[in-house]
Amino acid sequence: MNDGKMVLSDLSGQVLKLTLNRPDRLNALGGNMRQELYAALQKAEGDKEVRVVVITGAGRAFCSGGDVKEMSERREGNGGGGGGELPPVRDHIIALMRRLPKPVIASVNGVAAGAGMNLALACDMRIASDKALFTQAFVKRGLHPDWGGTFFLPRLVGTAKACELIFSGDMINAEQALQLGLINKLVPHDQLEEACAEWAGSFAAGPPIAIGLAKRGIYRNMECDLPSALEFETYAQTHCWNSEDAGEGIRAFVEKRPAVFKGK
């Protein structure tokens, strides 16, 4: 029983899988889904048992984006206006995903459209089924991209291609997405869950302090100069060097055995 939850949570082997659960609406971001996703990510942030977060969709879609039916009802109720809440929950979700000191993986099992595509792009990495489809569908509705699309997409595919995808709203398949660098891995549809679990598990077995600081450094240093980046690397390396995990990693290498990292 899911008790009507729009985001299902399942923790297995330190990997937390969050499943968008409106399959009848292709997991459109309506109802309380945003709030439930934000709450689940907040809980994951403070849970030391969670080392990796996977976001996927129930049924045949990853996420079809905003719920257009709800948008229509909201516009009619507001006399054609009303842009929504300020600041919107979506912005809190994206910011939290970025600062979360744990890898966040999108497991794209079907269509990822509009906000759904950008939710996937906001993740640190993406694995996709060969049935996955991607589209910046906003232009088809006369809307501007949100959920960080104008930030993430150019950084992944370059400015010109981002303009093409956003201005046209064209749909691309998983193979095209792989060629563009939008996704890290492409697997047969029936192997997606197993492949994602194996991939996520490999990160969960790693040193969480080092991985968390590396994630912070990657995103921080995209927006700063080289001296600042080097300064942060020195800080992060010193912090890791003084951790128990570093001692374990070094001993394991010398003893020719797998390291067991405890996040200390």
Side-chain angles (χ1 to χ4, degrees):
M1 295 284 295
N2 62 46
D3 299 322
K5 287 184 176 293
M6 293 188 178
V7 176
L8 306 180
S9 298
D10 178 50
L11 180 61
S12 177
Q14 298 178 308
V15 175
L16 176 67
K17 182 168 73 171
L18 300 178
T19 303
L20 307 181
N21 188 41
R22 296 183 79 200
D24 56 321
R25 303 295 288 270
L26 299 181
N27 302 316
L29 292 158
N32 292 321
M33 183 178 282
R34 291 174 174 85
Q35 289 79 3
E36 290 187 21
L37 179 58
Y38 185 44
L41 289 168
Q42 284 182 305
K43 183 177 180 181
E45 184 179 26
D47 189 344
K48 292 184 178 180
E49 290 300 310
V50 176
R51 292 193 180 183
V52 179
V53 175
V54 172
I55 299 176
T56 192
R60 60 191 179 91
F62 175 75
C63 176
S64 61
D67 190 317
V68 179
K69 182 178 179 182
E70 286 188 11
M71 292 181 196
S72 176
E73 292 171 350
R74 187 167 66 246
R75 280 184 60 83
E76 290 178 6
N78 292 330
E85 72 274 42
L86 292 174
V89 176
R90 64 171 181 261
D91 292 358
H92 294 306
I93 292 172
I94 298 301
L96 177 53
M97 289 170 64
R98 251 313 150 89
R99 75 169 185 265
L100 199 70
K102 310 169 187 197
V104 181
I105 300 173
S107 180
V108 186
N109 55 304
V111 67
M117 177 175 177
N118 292 339
L119 175 62
L121 299 187
C123 295
D124 303 312
M125 295 163 285
R126 287 152 291 282
I127 184 171
S129 136
D130 55 12
K131 292 186 178 181
L133 297 167
F134 299 84
T135 172
Q136 290 286 322
F138 301 95
V139 70
K140 304 291 188 181
R141 308 288 177 257
L143 295 172
H144 185 281
D146 52 21
W147 288 78
T150 56
F151 181 90
F152 299 120
L153 191 59
R155 285 167 168 76
L156 288 168
V157 303
T159 303
K161 193 64 181 182
C163 287
E164 177 187 339
L165 293 172
I166 290 172
F167 297 167
S168 69
D170 287 346
M171 185 172 286
I172 60 173
N173 60 32
E175 182 61 41
Q176 291 171 305
L178 181 65
Q179 292 173 0
L180 287 172
L182 281 175
I183 61 176
N184 301 74
K185 292 177 178 285
L186 172 58
V187 298
H189 185 73
D190 60 359
Q191 297 177 23
L192 177 62
E193 187 171 357
E194 181 181 355
C196 183
E198 182 178 349
W199 199 33
S202 70
F203 298 120
I209 295 173
I211 289 174
L213 285 169
K215 173 175 173 174
R216 179 179 166 191
I218 287 168
Y219 294 132
R220 175 191 180 278
N221 294 345
M222 287 172 63
E223 310 298 326
C224 72
D225 58 18
L226 179 58
S228 179
L230 294 174
E231 181 180 1
F232 179 83
E233 287 187 349
T234 299
Y235 154 76
Q237 186 67 297
T238 301
H239 187 76
C240 288
W241 177 259
N242 292 323
S243 71
E244 292 182 18
D245 277 351
E248 164 64 9
I250 293 167
R251 283 193 302 273
F253 178 82
V254 172
E255 297 169 5
K256 296 182 172 56
R257 62 173 175 79
V260 179
F261 296 112
K262 299 181 179 179
K264 298 180 180 179

